[in-house]
Structures are given as structure tokens and as C-alpha cells.
Amino acid sequence: MWEGLRLQVFFLCLGAALWSAAAAATHRGSGPRERGHRRHLSLHRHRERGKEGQVLHRSKRGWVWNQFFVIEEYTGPDPVLVGRLHSDVDSGDGNIKYILSGEGAGTIFVIDDKTGNIHATKTLDREEQAQYTLTAQAVNRETNKPLEPPSEFIVKVQDINDNPPEFLHGPYYGRVAEMSNVGTSVIKVTATDADDPTYGNSARLVYSILQGQPYFSVEPQTGIIRTALPNMDREARQEYDVVIQAKDMGGHMGGLSGTTQVKITLTDVNDNPPKFAQGVYAMAVSEDKVPGEEVGRLKARDPDLAENGLVDYRILEGDGMNLFEITKDSETQEAVIKLKKPVDFETKRSYTLKVEASNPHVDPRFTAWGPYKDTTIVKISVEDADEPPTFIAPGYNFEVEENAAAGTLVGRVHAKDTDIMNNPIRYMILRYTDLEEFFTINTEDGIIKTTRPLDREAQAWHNISVSAAEIGGHHQDAKVRVNIKVKDVNDNAPEFATQNEVLVCENVSPGKHSNTMLIETVSATDKDEMAHRQHFHFSLAPEVANNHSFSLKDNRDSTASIFVIRKGFSRMSQDVYHLPIEINDNGVPPMSSTNTLIIRVCSCDSKDTILSCNVEPFILSAGLSTGALIAILACIVILLAIVVLFVALRRQKKEPLIVFEEEDIRENIITYDDEGGGEEDTEAFDIATLQNPDGANGFLPRKDIKPELQYPMRPGLRPIGNSVDVDDFIKTRISDADNDPTAPPYDSIQIYGYEGRGSIAGSLSSLESVTTDSDLDYDYLQSWGPRFKKLADLYGTKDSADDNS
């Protein structure tokens, strides 16, 4: 088998060489450019005689070639022979060496340097590399000198059908509208074949449908999928799984194939009208429902999607069109029937509506399938409810006379039960509208009466609320507003509108042509209501009707004019005049009152400008002016202020320097911030400066009083001498202070940072002493006197506790 294959390759190569030689003979007269692609391994010269007897010399070609062929995917045990190179100069004595270079030389292609045979040592794949360019040359085996120029040739890999078709972009997803015509394009699928499309039928593909019939078909050459059935309904089936096959070798037997999945979805169109599930819908509404409340819902179903499935509703006809309305719930696409006006069970107990559902978006392609609407009947029954009573009138307005006796009839309110039971009604006044309880109501008949006389001037209107509830019902009540007007009775006398004083100049004088002078116009007011054309009447009181100073004129317009009828007044004799005036309101019954007008005499200048209306003291006639009196008063105030200040300063007393009470003991503490270097530090501070030379013998004399007796030293205490022990020094000073009866009753404490050399107590800090586990004996604190008693008790208690333990 392999021998036959090698012979086939050899003959193919030989045929190619012969074809090249024939082509060279045909174009023998061509120039150098045409002979440039022809190669030979060696040049042989021979003589050729021309027509004129000239001897010509030309190169003899060993062979003419340009390409070899090798089949891809060869998997035999031996390397495949690609071809054989042979030069005419090769006499077979082994002096010529064949060399191969170029793509794959030495790795994929090897050459026998003696025979020139070229073999392929590896399996070749045309899809990886379709051809290789190589260069062959014959050289001297001993000298490696080229015997011929290098010759380039091509080794082409001959394709075999070893690659199946592939769908690189699968799986595919296609969409097509439902109810589409037959042959409507859905989607195009494309497969690729890696084999050589120029050689044979290895890459010639044919498409076919394996799954999806009879709904779809595919064009064999293009791969376009089309619909194959009419009127495919999305509502019946929405998705289809189609399998497409691509086969090479033109679809013939022995070809390779590949498949892909195509999911085709039918998109929606408006091909279905809305449809009510029922022909009649029954609903109920209670008569106590308020307008706007929902009565019920119904829905016309449309299997289409999105806007194709939208449904609009409306009421076509019915006896309840004015009482009910219909809206749409945009989320659920339901028709919502709502109450438009209140319904009454006692008036009408049922209503009928005809409702239509329609598609707002109709596809003109399917109008012949219409109509795209549906109707149904809605029957609504009214249910009886225990309603509150209803007042005959929406409100009541009553009148009652002012000052009418208690129990006077004001009016009556009336309510009735509209339910079938017609229960009796109970009435009551809502007390928060009548806090002072001016009125009462009969609970059975609704008659309203007063509880006491009413005063119109205090409150002209009373607005109360009356509730009516069924007896034995569900405690539902109705309320009504009752406005009660208090009718006016003339029970208030008129009075001055203002109570201002009238000022008149002391030197007033009536005119030359008139014996009177107008000084004021008075008016009146009345708390009662004034009737039409009713006015006040003014007159002087009888006791002053004949006075010689003032007169009054009624202007008959509810005002009166006051005139002066005398010439001049004397402030010293009388500075204020009281003029009583009677005012009558002319009402029924008539009411009158006497009001006093105060007239004050004032001092005026020549232009009648008022200067002063106060009475000056009689002391002014003695010669003291107003300025003098003010100066005297100012002096008195200044003197009083000086006296008060002096008394305040005298009250501030200084405290004595020495306090002799035992309860008030002062301490003079002198603090030095120099901490020192410790007990052994004798350089930082000189202890000798703290010692008093006079206290060397144990006695410290006082500075202010010289003692008559010198008290002996306490037993157990040694003299200080020149000792620098501060502990002994402090003890001595404390003992002297405690035993000196002439010492002042206050302490002078000095604090030093230096504790002394060899201090037995160490630090005097009580805090540090408490936390120190020391075996020192603090009994000597008992001998330091009463001022150290607290410290001695603290440490003595600790010692006692230790002894007891």
C-alpha cells in the first residue's frame, strides 16, 4: 500500500518536472527575465551549429520544476517520500552532496544528501500551514563548493476532508411575529469549514433542518431559516427549538457535518379580542357607603401581551349610570366600579349596568377578525344599613326675646329614622356647644327652651348643636346646627360716647353778635339696637336748667352742642364745673340717663392757647415762683442723699485683728516650694537659719509680752542645743506653745521641706504612713498636745488593732 503511495508521489513529481521542461521548450526564445524562474543543479555545455556554421554554446538544464505535493494527515510508519532531486552532473560516484534549507528543513523535511530523496518526517496539517518554501543546492562533498546555483521550490500540503463544518456563533436565537405568512425570514445561520475551499468539495456546505419541521425550513445554500406554516399562534405555542445541520462534500455521502441549536420565539400581535368570563356579574353595595368607595371589580381577559393586551372599560347604558362610575386598575387591568352618588335602600334596591371592554390598540391586519370588544351585564343590589336619623332641615334658625323668662319656647327640631324599623328618636344638646347651659331640649319631641333670661348685650347669638339618635339602634346619631338669635329689648339707657373733659379758657368771652360760644359737641351711645330713624334727645338736668354759665342745644341728630353764656371765669373761685345732661333714647319702653359733663377752666394766652389747667398753690401769692420751689426741692433731695450715703459708710466696720473666740481660730501657713534633696542633703538648705538662738535652752520668749515665770521643760525632751534634728525642734516649739499661758490663741505653723537627719518618723505624710508597714512607735504623738490628738488616735487605733490580732 505504502509502496503504491510512494510511486504515486514520485510520478506526480516526475509529471511536474516534465510539464516544466515542456514549458521551457515553448519559451526557449524568452529573455533572461522569463528564464529567471527556471533552475538547474548543474550546467552542461554542448555545441550546436547554426545555419551559418557558427558554433553556439548554451546551458543544458538538468530538470525544470517549481512545486511538490504531499498529502496532509499522513500517519504511516515510514516517512513519506515528497520527491527526489537529481543533477545531471551527478555521475553516481558520490562526489555530489545535496543540501536542503528553508521552512521545515531538517525538522519536517529531510533530504538524503547522496540520492536527493526528500521525505516528510512529521504529519502535516494543511489548516496549520498550507505550503512550505524550500531551497535545494548541489555542492562538492569534499570542498562544499556549490556546483550549481541554489534552486527554490514549494512543497504544498494537499488537503483532505478532515474538518467538519462548525457554527461559530451558535446557539442562535430568532424572533418572528405570530401569524406571519409562509416564507417569512426568521434568522440566518452560518457554518465554516477549515478545509481548502479551492480543492474538491471538502468545504462545500449544504444546510438542512433536523428538528423544527413542519413549522420552519432552511435554505440549503444560504442557511436562512423561514416559516413553513401559516397562522402560527403565540397563545398556543410561543417557543420552538430548531436544529440545523451543515454538511460538507456538497451534502453527499461520506461528508462531515455539524449542527447548531436555534431557539425561535413568536412575538405577540393583537390578534385576540378581550373577553369577559361571565355574561352577568352580580355585586352589592350598602346604602351607607359614601361616594368614591369601591363597589366591585370585573375583568375582561386578553391573552395578548403588553399594549396588545390593554383593555379599556366604559358603561354603555343602565339605570345606574348616574350613580356609578367605572375606572381601570392599571396594574391588574381590572374594571373598578365605584359609587358616584349615595344610594338609598328605601328608594331603590337594585341597578343594572351594561359594561363594554375594548382594545385601545387594534392591528389593522386583523380587523377582519373583530370586533375587538366584548360586553357584559353588571347587576348591583343595594343592601339595607342601619343609618342614623335624618333631620328634616339641614339647619335651624330660631329667635327668642331678650330677658324672656326661663322656660320660654325657642323652637323645635325634628329628625326621623329612614330605616324600615322606624325607631323612635332621642334628642340631646351637645354640651360643648352650650357650656353655660342656656337651653334645654326635650329628648322625645326636640322642643328647645331657655333655662334663664338671656342678655343680648352679653351674647347676641347662640350657636348650638343638637344630636338625634335611634332608641335601640346601633348608637348612630345625626347632628344639626341650631342658630338662636336673641331679640333686643330696650333695657339699656344711653350714655356719653366718650368721657373726656371739656377745657375752656378762663378769659373766654361770647361773640359780639351772639351771647353764646360753642365749646363742645357731645354724642351718645346705647348698648341696645337702634331702630330706624331713632335718635337720642339731649337736655340739661332740671337742677341746672337755669344756670348762667352754660347752655345746651339738641341738634336732633343724636348730638348736642354745649355753649358758654357768661363772660370769663375765675380759676381761683372755681376751676371745675359739673354739668348734668339728660339723654333719652326714644325707645320702647323709653330709657334715659343723666350723664355729667366735666368742664375745666384753664389759663390761656391772648390767642386762646391753653397754658395750664392746674390750680397753683396759694403760696404763689406770697411771691414764690415755680422755679424757686423746684430749686428748694432739689436741695432737699441732695441733702437726703448725702445723709443716706453717710449712714451707709458708718455701717461698714472693720473686724478686729485678733479674734479671741475659740471658735474662730486662724492659721497662718507659710509654704516654701523648695523641696530639697532629702534627709541627708545638708547643702541645699541651712537648718541653722530655722533655729532661734533664744530657744537653745528650751525656752522661747514671747516678742510682745515678757513672761514672769519660766516653765520647766517637759520630761523626756532633751535640749536642742546645736542639734539639727528638726523633729526635736518642732516638738520643742509645740510644747512651748501648748504650755505658755500668755501665748495668743492662734497657731503659727511653718512648713519646711527638710525633715532632718536620722528622722525616726520618716515622712510626716499621713497618707504615706497609712500604707507603710512600719514597726515605728507613734505613742509619742499622745504627748504633742490636743492639736495632734486626731493624728495620735489614727495611729494609736492601728497599733491597738495589731495588738488585738
Side-chain angles (χ1 to χ4, degrees):
M1 172 182 177
W2 299 117
E3 289 294 332
L5 182 59
R6 285 196 292 268
L7 290 176
Q8 180 183 0
V9 174
F10 175 75
F11 287 125
L12 287 174
C13 295
L14 182 59
L18 294 176
W19 178 83
S20 300
T26 304
H27 301 280
R28 184 171 297 171
S30 301
R33 291 180 60 88
E34 295 180 1
R35 298 194 303 268
H37 67 280
R38 304 185 186 102
R39 296 292 182 264
H40 52 86
L41 294 181
S42 64
L43 298 177
H44 298 276
R45 293 186 176 271
H46 66 277
R47 297 178 180 181
E48 180 177 325
R49 191 176 300 274
K51 294 180 180 180
E52 297 179 356
Q54 184 182 0
V55 178
L56 301 177
H57 302 276
R58 65 181 181 84
S59 299
K60 183 180 180 182
R61 310 290 179 181
W63 69 86
V64 179
W65 62 333
N66 60 357
Q67 60 184 0
F68 290 153
F69 294 90
V70 63
I71 298 177
E72 67 171 335
E73 304 295 342
Y74 174 72
T75 57
D78 299 325
V80 60
L81 177 63
V82 178
R84 180 179 182 184
L85 301 180
H86 184 74
S87 177
D88 291 342
V89 300
D90 186 3
S91 59
D93 54 2
N95 292 327
I96 294 178
K97 179 180 179 181
Y98 296 97
I99 299 175
L100 187 65
S101 63
E103 296 178 332
T107 58
I108 300 176
F109 302 101
V110 295
I111 188 171
D112 189 337
D113 58 355
K114 294 180 180 181
T115 63
N117 292 333
I118 301 174
H119 291 83
T121 62
K122 294 183 178 180
T123 301
L124 301 180
D125 189 357
R126 190 201 66 83
E127 286 71 35
E128 293 182 3
Q129 187 168 348
Q131 65 181 19
Y132 297 85
T133 302
L134 299 172
T135 302
Q137 189 175 20
V139 298
N140 188 288
R141 184 175 295 277
E142 295 180 358
T143 62
N144 285 332
K145 290 183 179 182
L147 300 178
E148 292 183 357
S151 296
E152 186 179 274
F153 64 96
I154 297 174
V155 177
K156 286 190 175 182
V157 181
Q158 187 175 2
D159 183 47
I160 64 173
N161 189 18
D162 59 342
N163 291 281
E166 293 183 357
F167 292 91
L168 302 179
H169 303 289
Y172 294 87
Y173 297 90
R175 297 168 64 88
V176 64
E178 63 174 333
M179 300 296 172
S180 297
N181 296 327
V182 175
T184 302
S185 176
V186 179
I187 191 174
K188 180 180 180 180
V189 296
T190 302
T192 59
D193 196 320
D195 293 326
D196 188 0
T198 63
Y199 180 77
N201 294 328
S202 298
R204 182 185 174 189
L205 304 181
V206 174
Y207 298 93
S208 61
I209 183 168
L210 300 182
Q211 178 181 326
Q213 295 174 332
Y215 308 103
F216 300 95
S217 63
V218 62
E219 293 183 357
Q221 306 301 326
T222 61
I224 297 176
I225 301 175
R226 300 181 182 275
T227 58
L229 284 181
N231 301 330
M232 285 193 293
D233 191 3
R234 184 200 64 82
E235 289 73 29
R237 182 177 177 182
Q238 184 175 1
E239 293 183 349
Y240 296 84
D241 293 324
V242 178
V243 178
I244 301 297
Q245 173 185 268
K247 189 174 183 181
D248 59 12
M249 299 300 291
H252 294 91
M253 184 178 298
L256 303 179
S257 64
T259 60
T260 186
Q261 295 283 339
V262 182
K263 184 178 285 295
I264 300 177
T265 302
L266 297 183
T267 59
D268 184 62
V269 298
N270 190 8
D271 59 339
N272 294 281
K275 188 69 176 177
F276 285 108
Q278 302 173 213
V280 178
Y281 290 85
M283 298 180 183
V285 60
S286 178
E287 63 175 339
D288 60 353
K289 296 292 184 180
V290 297
E293 291 195 35
E294 181 178 322
V295 177
R297 295 189 175 210
L298 65 157
K299 183 176 182 180
R301 300 191 177 276
D302 190 332
D304 296 325
L305 300 178
E307 67 176 13
N308 297 324
L310 295 179
V311 181
D312 290 341
Y313 301 91
R314 64 172 181 160
I315 299 176
L316 295 180
E317 58 185 23
D319 55 0
M321 291 186 64
N322 297 328
L323 298 176
F324 301 93
E325 61 182 355
I326 190 168
T327 60
K328 184 179 73 170
D329 189 333
S330 58
E331 294 184 359
T332 62
Q333 293 295 309
E334 292 178 316
V336 181
I337 297 179
K338 295 182 179 180
L339 191 64
K340 188 177 181 180
K341 295 180 180 179
V343 293
D344 187 11
F345 174 80
E346 289 74 24
T347 303
K348 188 175 178 62
R349 301 187 179 184
S350 65
Y351 297 90
T352 302
L353 301 175
K354 186 176 182 180
V355 179
E356 178 189 76
S358 61
N359 285 137
H361 305 286
V362 178
D363 194 330
R365 296 176 299 173
F366 308 105
T367 52
W369 297 13
Y372 285 85
K373 60 181 66 177
D374 192 20
T375 59
T376 189
I377 301 298
V378 179
K379 292 186 177 181
I380 303 174
S381 60
V382 181
E383 297 177 346
D384 188 23
D386 187 11
E387 299 176 290
T390 302
F391 282 96
I392 302 299
Y396 295 88
N397 295 313
F398 299 131
E399 293 183 352
V400 61
E401 287 191 356
E402 181 181 14
N403 301 326
T408 300
L409 175 65
V410 177
R412 179 186 178 186
V413 296
H414 180 65
K416 63 178 182 179
D417 183 13
T418 59
D419 296 327
I420 298 178
M421 300 298 295
N422 195 17
N423 294 322
I425 306 300
R426 181 180 65 253
Y427 301 92
M428 65 176 297
I429 296 176
L430 302 179
R431 281 307 163 197
Y432 67 86
T433 62
D434 185 24
L435 296 177
E436 299 184 19
E437 299 184 4
F438 289 110
F439 306 95
T440 183
I441 189 172
N442 190 302
T443 58
E444 296 181 357
D445 55 15
I447 295 177
I448 301 174
K449 295 182 179 180
T450 61
T451 59
R452 58 180 178 271
L454 305 178
D455 186 3
R456 190 203 67 86
E457 287 70 37
Q459 187 172 349
W461 284 87
H462 296 267
N463 301 316
I464 63 176
S465 294
V466 176
S467 68
E470 299 178 21
I471 298 177
H474 293 81
H475 305 288
Q476 298 188 73
D477 62 348
K479 299 178 180 61
V480 70
R481 188 68 174 267
V482 179
N483 303 316
I484 301 174
K485 180 182 178 181
V486 181
K487 297 173 62 177
D488 184 45
V489 175
N490 193 21
D491 58 346
N492 291 280
E495 58 185 11
F496 280 145
T498 61
Q499 298 295 332
N500 297 332
E501 294 182 352
V502 178
L503 305 180
V504 62
C505 291
E506 185 179 14
N507 55 357
V508 65
S509 60
K512 296 180 180 181
H513 302 287
S514 175
N515 296 328
T516 61
M517 180 179 180
L518 178 65
I519 60 174
E520 183 69 13
T521 298
V522 297
S523 60
T525 183
D526 195 335
K527 295 180 180 180
D528 297 322
E529 292 181 349
M530 295 291 294
H532 183 59
R533 295 183 179 180
Q534 180 182 355
H535 62 273
F536 298 110
H537 176 71
F538 297 86
S539 63
L540 294 176
E543 60 269 21
V544 296
N546 298 321
N547 76 92
H548 301 287
S549 299
F550 305 98
S551 65
L552 182 145
K553 179 184 177 182
D554 190 349
N555 298 325
R556 298 186 180 279
D557 59 355
S558 297
T559 63
S561 300
I562 308 299
F563 295 93
V564 176
I565 60 176
R566 62 180 289 182
K567 184 178 181 180
F569 293 91
S570 175
R571 298 175 62 199
M572 296 300 299
S573 60
Q574 185 176 356
D575 62 336
V576 177
Y577 292 86
H578 295 85
L579 184 64
I581 299 175
E582 289 186 356
I583 306 175
N584 193 303
D585 61 4
N586 296 321
V588 179
M591 298 292 293
S592 63
S593 65
T594 301
N595 297 262
T596 301
L597 180 66
I598 299 176
I599 302 174
R600 187 176 296 277
V601 180
C602 301
S603 174
C604 304
D605 56 10
S606 59
K607 296 181 180 181
D608 293 336
T609 301
I610 296 176
L611 299 177
S612 174
C613 293
N614 296 324
V615 179
E616 297 180 354
F618 292 103
I619 195 172
L620 294 178
S621 60
L624 290 178
S625 64
T626 304
L629 288 176
I630 294 175
I632 293 173
L633 291 176
C635 292
I636 294 173
V637 170
I638 292 173
L639 290 176
L640 289 175
I642 293 173
V643 171
V644 171
L645 180 62
F646 178 77
V647 171
L649 293 175
R650 292 283 294 176
R651 287 183 177 181
Q652 297 181 358
K653 297 181 180 180
K654 296 183 179 179
E655 297 295 334
L657 297 178
I658 300 177
V659 181
F660 293 94
E661 291 79 1
E662 292 184 359
E663 292 79 4
D664 189 8
I665 298 176
R666 307 294 178 93
E667 295 182 353
N668 184 16
I669 302 175
I670 302 174
T671 304
Y672 296 91
D673 293 333
D674 186 4
E675 298 181 356
E679 294 184 355
E680 302 301 328
D681 185 4
T682 59
E683 301 296 334
F685 190 82
D686 187 5
I687 193 62
T689 60
L690 301 178
Q691 297 179 349
N692 190 338
D694 296 333
N697 296 325
F699 176 75
L700 185 63
R702 292 193 54 173
K703 300 295 184 180
D704 53 348
I705 300 175
K706 183 177 181 180
E708 298 178 358
L709 298 176
Q710 182 173 350
Y711 292 89
M713 296 177 58
R714 293 178 58 188
L717 299 178
R718 59 181 177 83
I720 295 176
N722 294 326
S723 173
V724 294
D725 192 344
V726 178
D727 185 8
D728 295 337
F729 172 75
I730 293 176
K731 290 180 180 179
T732 302
R733 295 298 299 271
I734 292 174
S735 177
D736 293 342
D738 291 341
N739 297 304
D740 187 1
T742 61
Y746 61 89
D747 295 336
S748 176
I749 301 176
Q750 295 179 346
I751 301 174
Y752 302 96
Y754 185 79
E755 298 181 356
R757 179 181 300 172
S759 174
I760 299 176
S763 174
L764 294 180
S765 171
S766 60
L767 296 177
E768 184 178 353
S769 300
V770 172
T771 59
T772 303
D773 297 334
S774 176
D775 297 329
L776 297 178
D777 186 7
Y778 296 99
D779 292 339
Y780 63 87
L781 294 176
Q782 300 290 341
S783 61
W784 281 20
R787 300 188 185 279
F788 291 86
K789 186 177 183 300
K790 185 65 176 177
L791 187 62
D793 291 341
L794 289 174
Y795 286 91
T797 304
K798 177 181 179 182
D799 296 341
S800 300
D802 294 339
D803 296 341
N804 294 334
S805 61

